[in-house]
Amino acid sequence: VSYNVDGFCEKNRDTFYKDLIALMQQSNRQFFKQLFPEIVSSSGKKPTSFSSKIRNQANELVDSLSKCAPHYVRCIKPNDTKRSLEWDEKRVLHQVEYLGLKENIRVRRAGFAYRRLFDKFLYRYAILSPKTWPNYHGDPREGIKIICQTVNMDRDQYQLGKTKIFIKNPESLFLLEEMRERKYDSYARVIQKAFKKFTAQKRYAKLKEDAYSLFLNRKERRRFSINRNFVGDYIGLDCHSALQALAGRKERIVFAATINKYDRRFKVSKLDFLITTNKIVLIGREVEKKGPNKGKIIEAKFYCYSFFV
């Protein structure tokens, strides 16, 4: 690593005390007086030295660290070339072995790996028991016992200390997390159902109000349009006796209308749609190819569906 020493002394120069400067200026030797030409003020406050600054900063750092919960982080270098997305397996295994990570994990797993304060544990998993949810004002230690009994956790899987709970296997912790997620999911579904019910009722009330506004002070429209009589003959069978003959002389036609038929090329052709008391008849139109009526469009029955009531 290369360093730039320009201005290094000026930035790190310590400050003399004023009484020392005054002492050197009172010397009998002219050489010492020339070394300290500064004008000393009469204020009695001593300047802060560089060593005292370092000492004060170190004390502040120690105080800050003592207020925190330190966590030790072991950094593993994936390669020696400092390149991204490059993994040297031998290099990583060497670091894992000599940092003692396997022994640390083995010791951690042999004991109680998970530890949490009573208040924080109770706050996170209180939802698992109806006795601790939604409000619990008792002893946190007793509340944790209730939660562990509710989830049927084995007694050898956890221990209660003075201020913390210790859980041995990660599977026990995973069980708590899974049950917690299920509880939140069930409550979310209840909220979702209530919201959907509220929106549906609100929409129904709006539709009901809109429907009521259609008939408000409009009885004449309701009388002549909405409650009109049903007309089954939309073709005029009285003027088309051939349709009656194709449907059957003794058949009573209850509905008759002309509809459009579309082929694969979206070509439209007209069909007569007839409904009798026991069958459905579709009558198409085709062009006469022979005889005196050649070239004229005649009606021909080509579909007939029978049903029984």
Side-chain angles (χ1 to χ4, degrees):
V1 180
S2 59
Y3 294 94
N4 186 9
V5 297
D6 294 339
F8 189 82
C9 294
E10 287 76 7
K11 293 180 180 178
N12 298 278
R13 179 179 296 173
D14 203 351
T15 305
F16 268 180
Y17 289 117
K18 297 179 181 180
D19 51 356
L20 294 177
I21 297 175
L23 178 63
M24 298 303 293
Q25 289 178 351
Q26 295 175 3
S27 175
N28 296 327
R29 297 180 179 273
Q30 189 66 24
F31 175 72
F32 291 148
K33 291 182 178 181
Q34 293 177 358
L35 291 177
F36 300 94
E38 295 88 353
I39 299 175
V40 181
S41 61
S42 59
S43 61
K45 185 177 180 181
K46 294 182 179 181
T48 304
S49 63
F50 190 73
S51 59
S52 61
K53 290 181 180 179
I54 296 177
R55 184 173 62 254
N56 294 334
Q57 292 176 359
N59 292 332
E60 292 176 358
L61 179 60
V62 172
D63 294 338
S64 300
L65 293 177
S66 61
K67 296 178 182 178
C68 303
H71 296 274
Y72 299 96
V73 179
R74 293 176 174 85
C75 298
I76 298 176
K77 295 172 62 177
N79 56 71
D80 293 329
T81 57
K82 298 181 180 180
R83 295 180 180 177
S84 60
L85 303 178
E86 185 174 336
W87 181 270
D88 189 352
E89 185 175 356
K90 293 183 179 179
R91 178 63 172 163
V92 173
L93 290 177
H94 177 79
Q95 296 177 76
V96 170
E97 182 178 359
Y98 283 91
L99 285 174
L101 295 182
K102 294 192 295 184
E103 289 76 9
N104 192 359
I105 294 174
R106 189 179 299 110
V107 172
R108 192 81 170 180
R109 291 290 299 273
F112 294 87
Y114 178 82
R115 55 199 67 183
R116 183 64 66 90
L117 293 173
F118 287 157
D119 295 336
K120 293 183 178 180
F121 186 88
L122 183 63
Y123 177 78
R124 183 169 182 83
Y125 300 108
I127 194 174
L128 300 180
S129 176
K131 297 181 180 179
T132 57
W133 181 264
N135 296 317
Y136 180 76
H137 303 288
D139 185 15
R141 186 187 185 93
E142 296 298 327
I144 292 175
K145 289 182 179 180
I146 294 173
I147 294 174
C148 294
Q149 292 174 0
T150 303
V151 299
N152 297 324
M153 185 182 296
D154 295 336
R155 190 63 183 85
D156 58 349
Q157 292 296 321
Y158 70 95
Q159 292 292 335
L160 298 178
K162 293 183 178 180
T163 58
K164 293 182 179 180
I165 178 175
F166 300 86
I167 298 179
K168 189 173 185 180
N169 291 330
E171 290 77 8
S172 301
L173 183 62
F174 297 157
L175 175 63
L176 292 174
E177 290 292 334
E178 183 179 358
M179 297 183 67
R180 179 175 177 269
E181 292 295 330
R182 290 181 181 178
K183 283 288 185 179
Y184 275 112
D185 183 70
S186 62
Y187 287 130
R189 291 179 182 273
V190 172
I191 296 174
Q192 187 180 27
K193 289 180 181 179
F195 179 75
K196 287 184 177 181
K197 181 180 179 181
F198 170 75
T199 54
Q201 290 178 347
K202 188 176 181 180
R203 182 172 176 271
Y204 172 74
K206 182 67 169 56
L207 293 176
K208 188 176 181 181
E209 183 180 356
D210 294 341
Y212 177 75
S213 62
L214 291 176
F215 303 114
L216 183 62
N217 298 326
R218 298 177 183 177
K219 293 184 178 180
E220 65 280 359
R221 179 177 178 180
R222 182 178 181 182
R223 184 184 304 116
F224 294 109
S225 61
I226 296 181
N227 291 337
R228 65 178 182 270
N229 295 326
F230 173 73
V231 179
D233 184 8
Y234 293 94
I235 296 178
L237 294 175
D238 296 337
C239 301
H240 296 79
S241 58
L243 295 178
Q244 182 67 49
L246 291 173
R249 293 293 182 181
K250 297 182 180 181
E251 294 290 341
R252 186 172 67 88
I253 299 175
V254 296
F255 180 81
T258 302
I259 60 177
N260 295 328
K261 176 189 174 184
Y262 295 88
D263 58 7
R264 294 182 179 180
R265 298 181 180 179
F266 293 96
K267 186 178 180 181
V268 182
S269 59
K270 297 293 184 179
L271 293 178
D272 293 327
F273 180 71
L274 306 179
I275 299 178
T276 65
T277 55
N278 57 2
K279 62 183 177 180
I280 297 175
V281 181
L282 293 176
I283 301 174
R285 295 175 175 83
E286 61 182 15
V287 179
E288 183 69 27
K289 298 180 180 180
K290 297 180 181 180
N293 295 326
K294 182 179 180 180
K296 294 183 179 180
I297 298 176
I298 61 174
E299 294 178 342
K301 179 175 69 173
F302 55 90
Y303 291 118
C304 182
Y305 302 95
S306 300
F307 58 90
F308 299 94
V309 180

